[in-house]
Amino acid sequence: MQTQRLRIAIQKKGRLSKECQDLFKRCGIKFNLMGERLVVHAENMPIDLLLVRDDDIPGLIMDGVVDLGVIGENELEEVGLERAALNEPCEYTKLRRLDFGDCRLSIAVDKDEQYNGPQDLHGKRIATTYPQLVKRYMDEQGVEFSPCMLNGSVEVAPRAGLADAICDLVSTGATLEANGLKEAEVILRSKAVLIQRTGEFGKDKQSLIERILTRMQGVIQAKE
Ligand code: PRP
Ligand code: ZN
Ligand code: MG
């Protein structure tokens, strides 16, 4: 179900959405986001923006349903590992790293707890939205643990008695602080990236992508 218009998936609401919209606007794409619309047609180019949940963006690209997407590397890696384990399509091309969406995926423990290294996590239950990335890290460290999958409110899990530690995104550290937790290990440093589906693009789409990339290069350089 390929259309002639270039489809770009971006986060509807959240940490990447504002900067993502600004970036495409600065690249000269004119669009008007209004109401609860999922698909927004650009006014001056054959481009459709799809406003979706960030969690869905890697899969949309890997299934070849959209052409381009902007996503945090944390989410991208997690979905890639999950799909690879399930033998589902997990290929994509990283076109470029962007200059926003900085965060780190970290393991955090009770701030009053002594922490000397990964071995202290042995046998602990770790609450997270990123079970694959946590497992990869813990396997690398050779430390056994039990996962506890939570899609939200991860930071309250220790206090609620659901887990001993958490692994979640940290940017300012305010959320950890507010919940009496301290950062123990950084397991991934992440930024927003522009990704592309694999496979053929028609000549027109290909040159449109190249035009966007050239403009993006200029926009990002101008900010530096
Ligand atoms: C992440 C994470 C923390 C918060 C950390 O949530 O889950 O809640 O950011 O940021 P801080 O260190 O600046 O306090 P996000 O904003 O991605 O929303 P979500 O949890 O609803 O996905
Ligand atoms: Zn999300
Ligand atoms: Mg959160």
Side-chain angles (χ1 to χ4, degrees), residues 153 155 168 175:
S153 305
E155 60 275 1
D168 200 12
T175 303

Side-chain angles (χ1 to χ4, degrees), residues 11 42 61 96 108 115 130-131 142 147 150 152-153 183-184 196 199 203 214:
Q11 185 184 34
I61 291 283
R96 73 166 298 154
Y115 183 82
Y130 303 92
L150 286 177
S153 305
E183 210 169 350
Q196 177 181 296
K203 210 170 104 263
T214 307

Side-chain angles (χ1 to χ4, degrees), residues 11 13-16 53-55 74-75 102-104 129-130 151-155 166-179 183:
Q11 185 184 34
K13 200 167 135 254
R15 62 169 61 235
L16 304 179
R53 276 195 58 171
D54 69 331
D55 319 43
N74 56 299
E75 196 68 53
D102 292 66
C103 60
R104 48 199 193 268
T129 312
Y130 303 92
N151 279 307
S153 305
V154 174
E155 60 275 1
I166 69 162
C167 183
D168 200 12
L169 295 182
V170 181
S171 68
T172 60
T175 303
L176 293 187
E177 171 85 41
N179 289 280
E183 210 169 350

Side-chain angles (χ1 to χ4, degrees), residues 12-13 21 32-40 51:
K12 183 177 173 63
K13 200 167 135 254
Q21 291 167 23
N32 193 348
L33 304 182
M34 33 173 206
E36 289 298 297
R37 202 170 286 177
L38 170 69
V39 183
V40 175
L51 294 123

Side-chain angles (χ1 to χ4, degrees), residues 11-210:
Q11 185 184 34
K12 183 177 173 63
K13 200 167 135 254
R15 62 169 61 235
L16 304 179
S17 41
K18 169 84 170 52
E19 277 169 296
C20 204
Q21 291 167 23
D22 287 353
L23 176 65
F24 286 116
K25 283 194 171 147
R26 287 210 187 89
C27 289
I29 304 170
K30 289 213 173 85
F31 55 89
N32 193 348
L33 304 182
M34 33 173 206
E36 289 298 297
R37 202 170 286 177
L38 170 69
V39 183
V40 175
H41 301 293
E43 291 153 24
N44 59 339
M45 289 182 211
I47 294 175
D48 288 343
L49 288 171
L50 277 93
L51 294 123
V52 296
R53 276 195 58 171
D54 69 331
D55 319 43
D56 292 331
I57 295 174
L60 290 169
I61 291 283
M62 292 166 187
D63 287 334
V65 178
V66 301
D67 302 307
L68 302 183
V70 173
I71 186 64
E73 288 167 310
N74 56 299
E75 196 68 53
L76 180 59
E77 294 250 326
E78 176 70 21
V79 175
L81 291 171
E82 185 185 319
R83 283 181 160 242
L86 295 169
N87 266 313
E88 290 173 0
C90 58
E91 283 177 42
Y92 62 92
T93 306
K94 208 179 262 194
L95 292 181
R96 73 166 298 154
R97 256 191 144 198
L98 302 171
D99 60 346
F100 58 88
D102 292 66
C103 60
R104 48 199 193 268
L105 184 64
S106 295
I107 296 176
V109 298
D110 189 304
K111 71 168 172 20
D112 299 322
E113 194 175 303
Q114 264 225 41
Y115 183 82
N116 301 305
Q119 66 284 352
D120 288 2
L121 298 167
H122 182 89
K124 295 270 165 84
R125 185 172 293 280
I126 304 178
T128 189
T129 312
Y130 303 92
Q132 301 284 339
L133 290 168
V134 176
K135 183 173 175 345
R136 182 172 75 181
Y137 174 79
M138 296 299 273
D139 286 352
E140 277 165 14
Q141 300 299 319
V143 177
E144 283 173 41
F145 75 106
S146 325
C148 165
M149 175 67 192
L150 286 177
N151 279 307
S153 305
V154 174
E155 60 275 1
V156 303
R159 229 183 2 186
L162 298 174
D164 306 300
I166 69 162
C167 183
D168 200 12
L169 295 182
V170 181
S171 68
T172 60
T175 303
L176 293 187
E177 171 85 41
N179 289 280
L181 299 168
K182 67 177 175 192
E183 210 169 350
E185 300 288 345
V186 176
I187 73 166
L188 184 83
R189 292 190 187 274
S190 172
K191 269 185 187 288
V193 284
L194 178 66
I195 55 174
Q196 177 181 296
R197 67 169 171 84
T198 57
E200 286 299 301
F201 288 86
K203 210 170 104 263
D204 293 346
K205 268 193 189 180
Q206 191 57 52
S207 64
L208 183 54
I209 292 172
E210 276 155 30

